[in-house]
Amino acid sequence: MHGEYKVPGGKLVVVDLDDDQGVLRNVQVAGDFFLEPDEALGAIDAALEGVPSDTDATGLAARVEAALPEGTVMYGITAEGVAVAVRRALAHATDWTDYDWQLIHTEPQSPALLMALDEVLTTEVAEGRRPPTLRVWEWGGPAVIIGSFQSLRNEVDPEGAARHGIDVVRRISGGGAMFVEPGNTITYSLSVPDSYAYLDDWVLGALADMGIKAWYQPLNDIATEAGKIAGAAQKRVVAGDGAVLHHVTMSYDIDAEKMLDVLRIGKEKMSDKGTTSAKKRVDPLRRQTGLSRADVIDRMIGSFRDRYGLSQGAVTDRETALAEELVRTKFATEEWLARIP
């Protein structure tokens, strides 16, 4: 059996092994990484020999770490990277615990830059330069975000948007229009190296911990007994080995009157937005949890970390430069915003 894994920001790790009646045998780790001292490689092989083949990535990485000689220097290789390569060799790399997740939660940014970062970060994951990433957005201003295949004219009232000082941007994924204001919504993105069926499973668990019984509602909604509380959208990026962008906007406390003055929403869509009156606020998360927006976000992040592991990360200078260039050449252009899909 053969498995390969490109460590984000590092080198290629290759593992060959046999699965002999449920245990690992003849394990050989190789690749274009650097490792000192030389005997450290043999120690890694020995540490994995005889391990049950159903051991998860965390357990495999722990065995590798424990076996390394004191003073070992690893460049372009990590214990977690070896574990993922082993899991891939066994065709078990289908669980989110097999990856080293990174959290990005930065200061407020312009709507156009937030759109560009979705494209840049997911491409970086696809190309193996970034680990799978959970990004929690902070909005630098109010905005309407239309889906990749929507008509600007059909979705947005330009006079209403101008009256309220609302930016209008188009994202790379499909789905419907979103209305956001700083502090009134919770938006997150997942940039994932493979396509998973249950991209929102973790957040359903987090909501349950906050006392909200929620469920996934096809095509891309999260709902409770009080109605829809979130909408999601996806985009597959075909660069490198491929990756999936999945982002969700959750209603914390939205001004429905303003939203309806900006979006062209028919009466049949009113209930879908969680309101039957323009005077009513769309506030399912605030009302149902009784928690501040910051507390809801902290609990969501904590739930993800407990399930899959999560280290603090940041947008790199390279990624920032790429995103700013995309804003200039794509996301801030009238050609992109007003395109006819």
Side-chain angles (χ1 to χ4, degrees):
M1 295 179 173
H2 179 84
E4 298 183 359
Y5 179 62
K6 172 74 163 54
V7 176
K11 301 293 185 177
L12 182 68
V13 178
V14 179
V15 175
D16 291 285
L17 55 81
D18 295 322
D19 183 356
D20 184 6
Q21 297 182 7
V23 297
L24 306 186
R25 297 294 184 197
N26 305 316
V27 180
Q28 290 187 311
V29 177
D32 57 359
F33 50 80
F34 299 91
L35 187 63
E36 293 287 348
D38 288 347
E39 54 265 29
L41 186 59
I44 293 174
D45 292 345
L48 296 172
E49 193 72 22
V51 174
S53 58
D54 60 356
T55 304
D56 64 16
T58 301
L60 293 169
R63 290 187 69 96
V64 171
E65 288 277 8
L68 293 173
E70 186 175 354
T72 295
V73 177
M74 307 173 78
Y75 178 76
I77 179 177
T78 63
E80 292 77 12
V82 173
V84 172
V86 169
R87 293 273 293 179
R88 288 188 172 184
L90 294 164
H92 289 161
T94 57
D95 189 275
W96 281 11
T97 58
D98 293 330
Y99 298 100
D100 304 322
W101 283 91
Q102 191 174 99
L103 169 69
I104 292 177
H105 188 189
T106 59
E107 70 283 350
Q109 294 164 315
S110 71
L113 185 60
L114 290 169
M115 300 303 109
L117 283 170
D118 256 358
E119 181 169 333
V120 169
L121 297 181
T122 308
T123 301
E124 293 294 280
V125 171
E127 296 281 8
R129 289 187 291 266
R130 158 171 289 281
T133 299
L134 166 65
R135 180 167 69 102
V136 179
W137 302 23
E138 293 295 346
W139 295 91
V144 167
I145 306 93
I146 61 174
S148 179
F149 308 108
Q150 289 188 300
S151 163
L152 173 64
R153 183 177 60 183
N154 290 344
E155 297 298 327
V156 181
D157 182 334
E159 293 182 358
R163 186 162 47 249
H164 296 289
I166 292 174
D167 286 343
V168 182
V169 292
R170 183 188 294 273
R171 61 182 183 269
I172 62 172
S173 61
M178 304 186 303
F179 173 82
V180 301
E181 293 183 286
N184 286 356
T185 58
I186 296 172
T187 302
Y188 66 85
S189 292
L190 295 167
S191 296
V192 191
D194 301 294
S195 181
Y196 291 89
Y198 303 106
L199 286 160
D200 294 317
D201 184 60
W202 70 278
V203 82
L204 298 183
L207 291 170
D209 292 341
M210 289 180 267
I212 298 179
K213 182 181 179 181
W215 55 88
Y216 173 76
Q217 183 170 291
L219 293 172
N220 283 302
D221 293 341
I222 298 174
T224 71
E225 292 178 351
K228 174 181 172 180
I229 64 171
Q234 290 185 23
K235 170 70 175 180
R236 178 132 187 111
V237 173
V238 297
D241 292 330
V244 171
L245 165 68
H246 177 80
H247 49 206
V248 173
T249 291
M250 311 179 76
S251 301
Y252 179 76
D253 186 12
I254 291 178
D255 185 334
E257 185 172 9
K258 187 183 297 184
M259 176 181 71
L260 294 171
D261 197 31
V262 175
L263 295 181
R264 299 188 191 277
I265 300 176
K267 292 181 179 179
E268 71 278 3
K269 292 289 290 183
M270 291 286 283
S271 60
D272 186 47
K273 297 294 182 182
T275 180
T276 56
S277 169
K279 301 295 184 183
K280 180 179 177 182
R281 298 188 75 87
V282 183
D283 62 347
L285 284 178
R286 182 184 63 80
R287 180 164 30 90
Q288 293 184 55
T289 66
L291 298 171
S292 70
R293 177 179 176 275
D295 284 340
V296 172
I297 291 173
D298 286 345
R299 294 194 184 200
M300 288 171 58
I301 291 172
S303 177
F304 194 103
R305 181 178 289 113
D306 290 344
R307 284 170 174 248
Y308 310 120
L310 191 64
S311 62
Q312 185 63 49
V315 179
T316 67
D317 290 343
R318 177 181 182 277
E319 291 165 342
T320 297
L322 289 170
E324 289 174 344
E325 178 65 9
L326 270 180
V327 170
R328 187 185 69 81
T329 61
K330 179 177 180 179
F331 289 99
T333 68
E334 187 66 20
E335 181 182 8
W336 169 254
L337 177 61
R339 76 184 184 121
I340 305 299

